[in-house]
Amino acid sequence: MKLDILAFGAHPDDVEISVGGTLISEVRQGKKVGLIDLTRGEMGTRGTVEIRNQEAEEARKIIGAAVRENLDMPDAFLETNAENLEKVIRVIRKYQPDIVITNAPSDRHPDHGHAASLVVEACFKAGLRKYQVDGTGENAWRPRAIYQYMQFYIHQASFVYDISHVIDEKVACVLAHKSQFFNPESMEPETVISSPQFKENLRARASEYGIQAGFDYGEPLMLIRLPGVKKLTELY
């Protein structure tokens, strides 16, 4: 199955928090979207692997993604090595996405920056025919564009995607990860993202970025390289 967009996250819920609205909107416009979680978030304070797997599937359904895979890399110990590169290269060659979206180059959780470095390097090497991974060199594929999303730390955005029409669905796909976010009945330890303030911040942050671009709500994205345009109106 060829996909238009393949979105990577270091942990289940990274993608939803950061670009859930963008992906929902793209699916509604007919794009085929896939989600790849690098780890199962097994080192997280709240929830279990089994619970998080169920929540990830529920979020996939809300987004409308065609597939969701987990590459079973070790949570909290993400690194760029030959084994992990081959795992990412396999899914890039398998789904041949035109666009790859991944974590920011640095963030509060070190895994996020490590994931970004890993995915960006894999996108390049996936296009090398002589880089053999399970004999897939002849299926070499390099995405046309790589975008990076913001999660906790603030970076300079390259553009803002309008999610005004899907803000409710974006919040819903994030909160599908029930074990990770605010629940007054939960007996598990509180974390930064399980506080009531973080839940409120989902809309507030989307509003903050949206208003800068003339939207009610938006999600910021960063470019790896300069974009090319053939007319100035493409930059509206």
Side-chain angles (χ1 to χ4, degrees):
M1 180 195 304
K2 184 188 182 312
L3 298 175
D4 299 299
I5 302 169
L6 194 57
F8 288 83
H11 314 100
D13 76 18
D14 285 357
V15 168
E16 289 88 332
I17 291 171
S18 309
V19 285
T22 298
L23 298 180
I24 290 168
S25 179
E26 289 292 311
V27 169
R28 289 189 175 185
Q29 294 177 65
K31 296 295 191 296
K32 291 183 178 178
V33 170
L35 310 175
I36 304 294
D37 303 313
L38 300 183
T39 79
R40 296 193 183 273
E42 66 273 12
M43 296 295 286
T45 302
R46 296 162 66 97
T48 64
V49 168
E50 292 74 21
I51 289 172
R52 300 202 70 179
N53 287 345
Q54 294 170 8
E55 294 170 345
E57 174 59 14
E58 181 61 29
R60 180 198 68 78
K61 292 177 182 177
I62 295 171
I63 291 172
V67 295
R68 184 167 204 155
E69 292 190 21
N70 195 296
L71 300 188
D72 285 309
M73 297 179 191
D75 185 18
F77 296 95
L78 266 184
E79 59 182 37
T80 300
N81 55 37
E83 179 183 359
N84 289 345
L85 278 169
E86 289 185 0
K87 287 183 176 181
V88 178
I89 288 170
R90 283 190 193 99
V91 295
I92 291 173
R93 289 178 173 176
K94 175 181 178 181
Y95 293 116
Q96 299 185 334
D98 297 312
I99 296 171
V100 160
I101 307 179
T102 190
N103 297 83
S106 64
D107 206 20
R108 177 175 177 270
H109 195 311
D111 272 358
H112 297 171
H114 295 160
S117 178
L118 170 64
V119 172
V120 170
E121 183 169 336
C123 283
F124 180 82
K125 290 183 175 178
L128 300 176
R129 291 186 177 275
K130 292 184 179 180
Y131 197 116
Q132 292 292 328
V133 177
D134 297 338
T136 62
E138 290 303 310
N139 296 324
W141 182 270
R142 187 171 295 147
R144 294 179 61 187
I146 304 171
Y147 302 145
Q148 293 180 284
Y149 52 74
M150 293 183 217
Q151 195 161 340
F152 197 87
Y153 287 171
I154 302 297
H155 298 268
Q156 180 62 51
S158 301
F159 65 96
V160 176
Y161 191 104
D162 184 6
I163 64 165
S164 304
H165 56 303
V166 294
I167 183 62
D168 292 337
E169 292 84 348
K170 183 256 171 62
V171 173
C173 80
V174 174
L175 298 184
H177 296 271
K178 299 180 182 67
S179 66
Q180 303 303 299
F181 299 101
F182 178 66
N183 178 358
E185 299 179 0
S186 175
M187 301 300 292
E188 294 190 275
E190 185 173 309
T191 66
V192 171
I193 65 172
S194 73
S195 68
Q197 290 75 22
F198 187 87
K199 182 178 177 180
E200 294 173 2
N201 184 250
L202 289 173
R203 289 179 183 271
R205 191 166 188 182
S207 175
E208 178 183 1
Y209 278 101
I211 198 170
Q212 295 181 53
F215 311 136
D216 291 333
Y217 297 99
E219 289 175 336
L221 287 154
M222 297 172 283
L223 297 173
I224 296 290
R225 62 175 184 172
L226 289 176
V229 300
K230 293 185 178 180
K231 52 186 178 182
L232 292 178
T233 50
E234 292 178 355
L235 293 174
Y236 283 175

